[in-house]
Structures are given as C-alpha cells and as structure tokens.
Amino acid sequence: MHVHGYAALKEGGSMKPVQFDREPVRAGEVAIDISHCGVCHSDFHQVKNDWDNSVYPCVPGHEIVGRVTEVGEGVSRFKAGDRVGVGCMINSCRECDACRRGEEQYCSGPKGATMTYNGPIKPDGTNSYGGYSSAIIVREEFVLSIPEAISDAEAAPILCAGITTYQPMKHWGVKAGQRVGVAGIGGLGHMAIQIARALGAEVVALTTDAEKEPLAKELGASQTIAMDDDAALEGAKESLDFLISTIPYPHDFNPYVELMKADGKMVIVGNLIEFEDIQMSNVVMKRLVIAGSAIGGIGDTQEVLDFCARTGVRPRIELIAMEDIDEAFDRAKDEEVHFRSVIDMATLQKDADAKEIDTPVRGEVVNRATQPKATEPADVLVEA
C-alpha cells in the first residue's frame, strides 16, 4: 500500500509532505482509507520530542476515522465499506494480565503496546506511522466501530480525548451527587466536562483563562473558578470529590489539592513532564489519592464511542487542511483552538515529489484467540 502523509523528519522540525509503503494486509488485519484525523496535544509534544521518546521520522495522528478497504484472512468483525476508527494503539502482546483484562495500554509484554505512531512503548528501534496519512493497516482487535449517530469528524477526538477522560471516571466510579473538578478546559478538558455531567456529577471548571468561563458553562459546568481568583479559591476549599487534571505542561498543583475533600481522588491525564513540588501535608491529612491514568483499553474506547452516541456528548471541532498542520500546532499551544482541530484528509495532496521515508512496522499479529475480559460500562445518569 503506497501512502502519502505529513511527518516531522527531525526533532523540532516543521511538518513536511512524505510518502511511504505500508506492508500488505496480513491475516487478521484491516486496511483503512483515512477520512479524518484529530490533532492531539501529544502530537506536537512528540514532534518536538518534549518527552524524550520521539522516533523520527514522526508521522503523528491517533484519532483516526475512515472506511475499510480490505480485510485479511480470518477477519470477522469488519468488511469493506465499514466506517471505523483507530485510537492510540495498534497492537499488544494480547496475553499479559493487562491485555487479558482489556487494558492494553498497560501491556507488560516484551514491547508493551505498539502505539499508532512512534513505535512500541518499550523502544526496540522500530517505528510506526499514524493518521496524518492517507491510509493505515491495523489488526482487527484494535479497530473500533463508529456509531451512526456520530459524524466522522466528531468521532475522531473521542478516540483519544474522549477515552482519556472517560476511563479514569469509570475506574474511580464517578457518579451522581459528586462534585467533579476539571482542570484545563481544552481538547481533553472540554470532553471531561461533558462526560462527568452525563454521569450525573456536578462539574466545576477550573481555568486560568477567563474567556473560557462561558464556554465551560455551555458544556455543562455548573460553576467556573478562575485559578487566579484568591477569594473564589478560598470559598471552594474542600469542595471536590474528584478532580481530573488535563493541563499538559508543568504547573503548581498545590492550589488544586486545597480544593479536595477528604478521601478525594485527583487524576492526572495531561502532564507527562513534571510538577513543581507538591506540599504533602494536605495530601496526607486528607487521605487524598493522586493518581495517573493513560488513555484506555480497546473495549473502553468502544464503550466511550457508544456512550457519546447515546448521551449526545460531542467534541467541539475546527476542520483544517493537512497543509495547515504547523499553524494548528501553534494555535493549540497558544490555546486558540476551541477545542479540537480535526484534519480533513481529503485535503492531503499526493505530491509525487514528497520525500520517501522508510516503511513502518506494526508488530506481528500474535495471540489472535486471546480475548480480553468484558468490563461493565459506566452508568449514564444525566443526559448531556
């Protein structure tokens, strides 16, 4: 399969047109023509090597929606013409404890999960290329069905922003009557507000941008607190049962700790870099849990797609052309996107002079018979 796309060819470089071959469809795999791909904050972190784990050339994109064009021998869940999605992972060992319980993102196999781009979690010198491209091939178990109620463009961000915020709320049992704080009202945070509201919680938006206050309320927040408003912070002390932090850069976490009730849960999904010193006295004296959470398994990703279709939760998106990706990165960093850019892949020009890059890998199709355990969906108590 000959594919065109956009890639960063070196650390800190701008995105350039490229072309490459994907290996032919094998048994158990599905080929997909990509119609839309969301632009995630992690895409430009990887392009810039902010996490010191990038592999170049870097073809980002893990919020992929398109149509099946071919299926390999033994594929039973999909056929040509089906509308499908691919999220953050394309493979895993399928036999470790994490994979068996449907949490492939925590795969403890020899390579860990193979990410949609940037290769395996445990680097082995190979690379995978993501959705900033015209087509992709993925093993059947990592392909998602897109519900009819959700458009291609709207479905794309659910495959990362949706699952990243849904999964910790499900895991820690967010429910009606709780007060849930959402720190950072961007690509992830605007989904977190809607999902928490759909689960029946009272949602408090926590932001440093006053212009986002009315937007947060439109999305379902009952209250917005400006993090530079000392009086508001004092009045909100010990008022939150659960907090999800979607802020993607280092910041002072201590003001958020002050907002938590005893036995509160604080889950970090945005900042993979570092925090300033956290004052532990409040954490200890209130028996707080400070935890991290990474995306979600394939079963939960399908679950959140169905959840969004059922409740009306939708990302707010801006469609962009492929050639405008560098500008989209800059706008996202400057928090000018409300709230997710999505690339219309029909705008991708198949430039015959685009740079040829090496063929990517996607891992062997191993342990096809191993299926993860089913999990119970989160209860939906309030329609968004």
Side-chain angles (χ1 to χ4, degrees), residues 46 53 88 93 109 114 164 173 203 206 238 240 255 286 294 324 328 333 352 362 370:
Q46 295 284 22
N53 69 336
C88 300
C93 80
T114 297
T164 299
V203 184
L206 308 168
E238 300 188 3
L240 301 180
K286 291 197 284 188
D324 296 330
K333 284 184 287 187
R362 52 186 184 264
T370 304

Side-chain angles (χ1 to χ4, degrees), residues 166-187:
Y166 174 82
Q167 206 283 329
M169 293 191 214
K170 174 186 174 180
H171 182 79
W172 276 282
V174 168
K175 59 182 184 289
Q178 291 185 323
R179 279 174 60 86
V180 171
V182 177
I185 315 305

Side-chain angles (χ1 to χ4, degrees), residues 3 7 27 69 138 164 235 262 265 271 292 296 303 375:
V3 174
T69 56
V138 180
T164 299
K265 312 295 191 298
N271 179 13
E303 188 177 294
T375 58

Side-chain angles (χ1 to χ4, degrees), residues 314-334:
R314 298 289 188 277
R316 302 283 182 91
I317 62 172
E318 298 180 10
L319 281 175
I320 65 167
M322 184 72 258
E323 64 184 15
D324 296 330
I325 186 59
D326 283 325
E327 180 185 349
F329 283 172
D330 290 338
R331 292 183 65 228
K333 284 184 287 187
D334 294 336

Side-chain angles (χ1 to χ4, degrees), residues 20-23 59 116 126-130 357-363:
F20 55 92
D21 291 320
R22 294 194 189 271
E23 294 177 354
V59 180
T116 305
T126 64
N127 198 0
S128 52
Y129 299 158
I357 59 175
D358 291 341
T359 297
V361 302
R362 52 186 184 264

Side-chain angles (χ1 to χ4, degrees), residues 71 78 95 102 122 202 239 271 277 310 327:
V71 298
F78 301 101
E95 65 178 3
K122 301 174 184 177
E202 180 183 356
S239 65
N271 179 13
D277 291 340
R310 189 167 68 251
E327 180 185 349

Side-chain angles (χ1 to χ4, degrees), residues 154-227:
E154 290 175 325
I158 298 172
L159 298 167
C160 176
I163 183 57
T164 299
T165 51
Y166 174 82
Q167 206 283 329
M169 293 191 214
K170 174 186 174 180
H171 182 79
W172 276 282
V174 168
K175 59 182 184 289
Q178 291 185 323
R179 279 174 60 86
V180 171
V182 177
I185 315 305
L188 271 65
H190 92 287
M191 292 297 293
I193 290 173
Q194 295 180 78
I195 290 169
R197 175 62 182 151
L199 290 169
E202 180 183 356
V203 184
V204 180
L206 308 168
T207 181
T208 57
D209 185 351
E211 292 184 1
K212 289 186 177 178
E213 293 184 28
L215 292 170
K217 290 189 175 180
E218 282 181 27
L219 293 165
S222 60
Q223 181 183 2
T224 303
I225 296 175
M227 295 304 294

